[in-house]
Amino acid sequence: MKVEFAPLSVPLQRRLQTAAVAQWVCSFLGLAQCCTAVFIALLFTRFWLVSALYAAWWFTDREKPCKGGRRIHVFRNCVIWRYMRDYFPITLVKTAELDPRQNYLMGFHPHGVLAAGAFINFCTEASGFSTLFPGITPHLMLLSLWFRFPFFRDYVMSGGLVSSDKESASYVLQKPEGGNLLAIIVGGAQEALDARPGSFTLLLKNRKGFVRLAIQHGIPLVPAFSFGENDVFDQVNNPQGSWLRRIQHFLQQIMGISLPLFHARGIFQYSFGMIPYRRPICTVVGKPIPVQKKHRPSEEEVDQVHQKYLNELSELFEKHKAKYNVPEDSHLEFI
């Protein structure tokens, strides 16, 4: 006999959605530090062997973030990500087919404050990536620093995150039978400092390393723009040249991560807090840009492909912006 459960009430669904987003925000704001604290604290208790054994295993497993990571399908399909998807909501739009016999390098724009669209679309199955792109395995690059935290490294690898260095990228892109997609948030942490509602500024004008990587491996480039990514948080005003911006750049050079002073709503009230606004995020994946393989491309060849990528990204934005309530006079700005 089939057992049917009554659907959840709308208020309960909204509470679960908020809880899902809250745990995700907390995981990237403090979980890494908490994991480190637990790891150290266990060494001074009768459970010290847990940390000792983990440390030994961690040493033998230290290269895993650079070798494709270790995705866990149960993690990617967890119901909590569907609640997080519905909170905003987040959607993934395909505009062209991706051949599973090829590998791809995707540029994701913009970074936003916490890259919610990139995480849900490429690190979970909540938006149906495998259904939209059958035969393609997504990998999202994350700053290498985050893989140095015990326990937390395993958490992020479970979703398909890999280390953001050249060795890691080459490992993913060299799969002989194809079917790998490496997503890079090209603007990186520095671009997060310009993430605020209505901003379409991309740190991309002089970011050409991903283009050179694509040429060296002879793989297509795929532009992707996430509409609404910058709209889910407000940020303290930090124009170029301001004392706050200088401090943020200084701290980024020391720690490797940016520290945007963002805020939005709270869990039980809507005036102030660290929970993002309920605003839709739609990630539109463009068509692949063919790239001819060359082991040592010249600067001119890199510039040529880079300019073509900028043109394709701008065209993707202009073609779809009206659907997502972007003003007609708004255009991408590359800095």
Side-chain angles (χ1 to χ4, degrees):
M1 184 177 69
K2 184 178 180 180
V3 179
E4 294 185 1
F5 296 93
L8 298 177
S9 65
V10 172
L12 180 56
Q13 288 183 35
R14 292 177 69 87
R15 291 191 188 99
L16 290 172
Q17 292 165 8
T18 304
V21 172
Q23 70 80 29
W24 173 75
V25 171
C26 291
S27 70
F28 280 95
L29 293 183
L31 183 59
Q33 293 82 352
C34 290
C35 287
T36 303
V38 169
F39 176 80
I40 296 173
L42 286 174
L43 291 172
F44 299 94
T45 70
R46 60 180 178 174
F47 301 107
W48 62 270
L49 188 59
V50 174
S51 289
L53 291 174
Y54 181 86
W57 176 79
W58 184 7
F59 178 78
T60 61
D61 192 60
R62 64 189 182 279
E63 298 296 330
K64 198 63 177 179
C66 299
K67 303 295 183 182
R70 181 172 44 250
R71 66 183 56 239
I72 298 176
H73 293 288
V74 173
F75 176 91
R76 289 178 57 87
N77 288 281
C78 183
V79 67
I80 195 171
W81 307 129
R82 295 198 290 274
Y83 282 118
M84 180 176 167
R85 173 202 64 195
D86 294 339
Y87 172 89
F88 293 96
I90 296 174
T91 54
L92 182 64
V93 176
K94 178 177 73 172
T95 63
E97 296 291 340
L98 297 184
D99 187 351
R101 294 170 297 180
Q102 281 191 306
N103 296 316
Y104 296 91
L105 196 158
M106 173 185 288
F108 180 92
H109 315 272
H111 183 286
V113 171
L114 293 178
F119 179 81
I120 285 294
N121 289 320
F122 306 124
C123 299
T124 80
E125 288 297 331
S127 59
F129 182 93
S130 296
T131 302
L132 287 172
F133 301 102
I136 301 293
T137 302
H139 301 264
L140 179 65
M141 300 198 90
L142 180 68
L143 194 66
S144 303
L145 167 71
W146 297 110
F147 295 98
R148 299 172 187 169
F149 293 94
F151 305 124
F152 184 78
R153 66 189 293 274
D154 303 286
Y155 169 75
V156 293
M157 278 197 292
S158 298
L161 286 153
V162 295
S163 179
S164 60
D165 53 52
K166 190 174 181 180
E167 177 189 356
S168 176
S170 296
Y171 184 90
V172 173
L173 299 176
Q174 286 176 347
K175 185 179 180 183
E177 61 271 28
N180 274 349
L181 181 145
L182 180 65
I184 301 177
I185 307 178
V186 182
Q190 188 176 344
E191 190 176 78
L193 299 177
D194 290 311
R196 50 178 47 85
S199 173
F200 300 103
T201 301
L202 302 181
L203 188 60
L204 187 56
K205 189 174 182 179
N206 296 312
R207 298 267 172 129
K208 302 176 182 179
F210 74 106
V211 174
R212 186 180 300 277
L213 189 64
I215 296 174
Q216 290 173 341
H217 290 277
I219 60 170
L221 283 164
V222 181
F225 191 86
S226 197
F227 291 91
E229 193 73 51
N230 283 341
D231 297 338
V232 297
F233 286 105
D234 289 316
Q235 188 172 166
V236 175
N237 193 33
N238 59 341
Q240 292 286 351
S242 65
W243 65 269
L244 176 57
R245 191 62 165 251
R246 288 196 294 269
I247 291 174
Q248 289 173 322
H249 279 308
F250 175 72
L251 293 175
Q252 182 186 349
Q253 291 174 354
I254 294 175
M255 300 184 297
I257 58 175
S258 65
L259 297 172
L261 299 181
F262 63 91
H263 59 90
R265 51 158 289 191
I267 297 178
F268 303 109
Q269 45 77 32
Y270 298 92
S271 57
F272 186 83
M274 308 297 283
I275 306 300
Y277 296 119
R278 283 182 181 267
R279 294 172 180 171
I281 297 174
C282 184
T283 302
V284 181
V285 178
K287 62 183 180 181
I289 303 170
V291 175
Q292 185 175 359
K293 185 175 182 178
K294 190 170 185 179
H295 184 61
R296 296 180 182 274
S298 65
E299 290 297 328
E300 291 76 13
E301 290 169 325
V302 172
D303 290 342
Q304 184 179 6
V305 177
H306 182 259
Q307 187 58 52
K308 186 174 182 180
Y309 180 86
L310 295 182
N311 294 340
E312 291 289 343
L313 180 61
S314 295
E315 182 180 337
L316 181 71
F317 176 82
E318 295 295 333
K319 183 177 180 180
H320 294 274
K321 68 180 184 181
K323 302 175 187 176
Y324 306 109
N325 301 316
V326 176
E328 183 64 30
D329 59 350
S330 294
H331 308 283
L332 293 183
E333 178 186 0
F334 302 121
I335 61 173

